[in-house]
Amino acid sequence: MVGRRRLGRRFGWLWAAYAVSTFGTWLAFDAFSLIAILVLHAGPTEVSVLAAAGLAVGAVVAVPLGPWVEFRRKRPVMVAMDLTRFVALMTVPAAHALGLLSLVQLLVVSVVVGAADIAFNAASGAYLKALVRPADLLVANGRFESTTWTATVLGPPAGTAAIGLFGPATTVVANAVSYLLSASGIRAIGGGEPRPVHTAAHGTRLRPRDLFEGWRYILTHPTLRPLFVNTVLVSSLVMATMPLLAVLMLGDLGFAPWQYGLAFGLPCVGGIIGARLAPRLVSRFGQHKVMLAAGVLRACWSLGLAFIQPGVAGLVLVIAVEFGLITCMGVFNPVFATYRLERVPANRIARTLSAWSVTSKATVAAMTGLWGLLAGIVGPRTAIAVAGLLMLITPVLLPRRDRTPDSGEKEPAPPLEAAGPAGKPQDLRAGTAASSFRGW
């Protein structure tokens, strides 16, 4: 069975690091928004601006990080970004304990964490492609995807319960510690990693054109270009409504924090189901057909969130809508992540993934800010409905057929060392759903 394929001890360490850090992230699900609402008494516009500004400035700061990561060993970069996020997040509970916490500090921490996310994502994508064989990429991405949704099932309910029992900064501490444990796991992988070679054309310094090489490659690729536009737009529409849903459910409709966590944790079982189905569906129907079908289906659910009502019926509606959306995402994300890795040459992976992440985060920031302003004018419910209607249009941006030229675009990166016995690589991961929300 493809789902039980052994990918080696080093992949096991990487997977373990991913699991603990992902659980930490989802334990702290919407922690900054909840802190802003419950501690700093922020309204919908302030919460949206906090989320938007942190992403936007973090994306701008991260622009030069893609080419910088391209010519560095990837594992040390990943460890450094984990430690950076640990230190930044730990300042939040410290300030809260001293009574000094403010929206400005939350914004600064969001910027630092956002930039580190992008650098980590760029490094981890290149690292995964060098770690596993080409035939194992979908299996590896499927395992990350399943882990993400498992953590999302368990994390938000546990996190919101912890907030109720121990205070709003508790989950931020847990998330920070998860980055520290992730760094330890990545270091435990061991083995050598050769330094990327600088060609004579590149030299040893970054050139201005290196900053834009990732975008140039994406926008000139016949299949990655429409996928780029589609995935960025879908992510931004989904994420722009998250602060509004928090305000609507926790404020206007009077749901308790544990109910809010349950509404977004329980449906993630669908993500686990989708991720486990993805390799089997690809084996039967083909990679492009599965990606197209799942991409169309995931656009059909978000409009239902505009009809939330108080009480049990409203909670059931949120769970049903989120379950359908997340199941489709669980299929789409690992297939898309694998498809993208296969089509980006090894010497462009970090810059391309960085460009993708920078654009996604900047667009999410712009859309979140815009939807916060819209909600201030027409109310959160109407703003959510507008996002749902726009989601229905996004499938037209998906490529109807695979137009990848037969020019070696799918050529995989060579392994860092020769494969060992039983197909286990001796040395030396790309974004799944977590790419959009975390940076793995």
Side-chain angles (χ1 to χ4, degrees):
M1 298 292 291
V2 297
R4 299 179 181 177
R5 187 178 303 165
R6 295 178 60 84
L7 302 183
R9 181 189 64 82
R10 290 180 178 172
F11 176 82
W13 274 112
L14 189 62
W15 191 11
Y18 177 80
V20 69
S21 62
T22 302
F23 184 78
T25 290
W26 288 104
L27 190 69
F29 174 68
D30 267 4
F32 280 15
S33 293
L34 291 173
I35 289 173
I37 294 169
L38 300 176
V39 177
L40 303 177
H41 308 292
T45 301
E46 291 173 302
V47 173
S48 295
V49 168
L50 171 65
L55 285 172
V57 180
V60 172
V61 170
V63 168
L65 293 180
W68 178 80
V69 170
E70 193 80 79
F71 303 112
R72 298 294 186 282
R73 292 188 178 98
K74 304 305 183 289
R75 192 156 59 95
V77 170
M78 295 162 68
V79 171
M81 294 304 104
D82 270 342
L83 295 178
T84 298
R85 292 181 286 190
F86 165 73
V87 173
L89 287 171
M90 284 301 295
T91 66
V92 173
H96 180 260
L98 296 172
L100 301 175
L101 188 63
S102 67
L103 284 172
V104 173
Q105 181 180 355
L106 292 180
L107 173 61
V108 172
V109 174
S110 296
V111 169
V112 173
V113 172
D117 282 348
I118 292 174
F120 188 99
N121 184 51
S124 64
Y127 198 67
L128 177 63
K129 188 167 182 176
L131 171 63
V132 302
R133 298 168 185 262
D136 292 331
L137 275 176
L138 180 56
V139 175
N141 280 318
R143 290 179 184 177
F144 288 132
E145 188 77 9
S146 294
T147 302
T148 296
W149 295 118
T150 301
T152 313
V153 171
L154 301 175
T160 48
I163 287 174
L165 291 173
F166 306 111
T170 305
T171 58
V172 178
V173 174
N175 192 21
V177 172
S178 77
Y179 283 120
L180 187 62
L181 295 175
S182 173
S184 300
I186 292 168
R187 283 182 57 85
I189 295 171
E193 182 184 353
R195 183 181 297 276
V197 177
H198 291 264
T199 64
H202 281 94
T204 58
R205 295 183 179 181
L206 293 180
R207 303 166 301 169
R209 63 176 292 183
D210 289 330
L211 300 178
F212 304 102
E213 175 62 25
W215 283 286
R216 189 199 68 79
Y217 184 78
I218 293 167
L219 296 176
T220 57
H221 194 286
T223 309
L224 290 182
R225 182 175 59 249
L227 277 173
F228 175 67
V229 177
N230 173 268
T231 56
V232 167
L233 183 57
V234 169
S235 294
S236 62
L237 287 171
V238 170
M239 296 303 292
T241 60
M242 295 303 290
L244 307 184
L245 282 169
V247 172
L248 180 63
M249 294 184 68
L250 295 172
D252 297 353
L253 301 181
F255 285 98
W258 71 266
Q259 292 175 310
Y260 176 72
L262 180 66
F264 291 96
L266 186 59
C268 293
V269 172
I272 301 171
I273 295 171
R276 293 185 65 85
L277 285 176
R280 301 174 187 178
L281 292 173
V282 168
S283 177
R284 181 171 181 179
F285 299 106
Q287 184 184 54
H288 190 264
K289 288 182 178 180
V290 172
M291 186 169 61
L292 178 61
V296 171
L297 291 174
R298 69 181 174 153
C300 300
W301 298 93
S302 295
L303 184 59
L305 296 174
F307 301 98
I308 302 173
Q309 298 298 323
V312 175
L315 186 63
V316 171
L317 175 62
V318 177
I319 291 173
V321 169
E322 291 293 322
F323 181 84
L325 173 63
I326 291 172
T327 301
C328 296
M329 291 174 63
V331 174
F332 179 88
N333 288 333
V335 179
F336 156 70
T338 302
Y339 184 91
R340 180 175 59 179
L341 272 185
E342 290 174 341
R343 280 151 183 80
V344 180
N347 63 348
R348 288 193 175 111
I349 291 178
R351 283 172 289 180
T352 301
L353 294 183
S354 179
W356 207 298
S357 293
V358 165
T359 305
S360 181
K361 287 180 180 289
T363 307
V364 167
M367 297 283 275
T368 301
L370 179 61
W371 253 253
L373 294 174
L374 181 63
I377 297 171
V378 301
R381 188 185 298 276
T382 302
I384 291 168
V386 172
L389 290 171
L390 290 176
M391 278 284 284
L392 296 175
I393 305 173
T394 60
V396 303
L397 300 171
L398 290 167
R400 290 296 180 267
R401 60 184 183 276
D402 189 353
R403 295 178 291 172
T404 302
D406 294 328
S407 58
E409 297 290 356
K410 290 184 65 174
E411 181 182 354
L416 298 184
E417 294 182 21
K424 296 181 182 180
Q426 296 294 343
D427 212 338
L428 301 176
R429 162 182 129 159
T432 60
S435 302
S436 300
F437 305 111
R438 177 170 184 79
W440 272 83

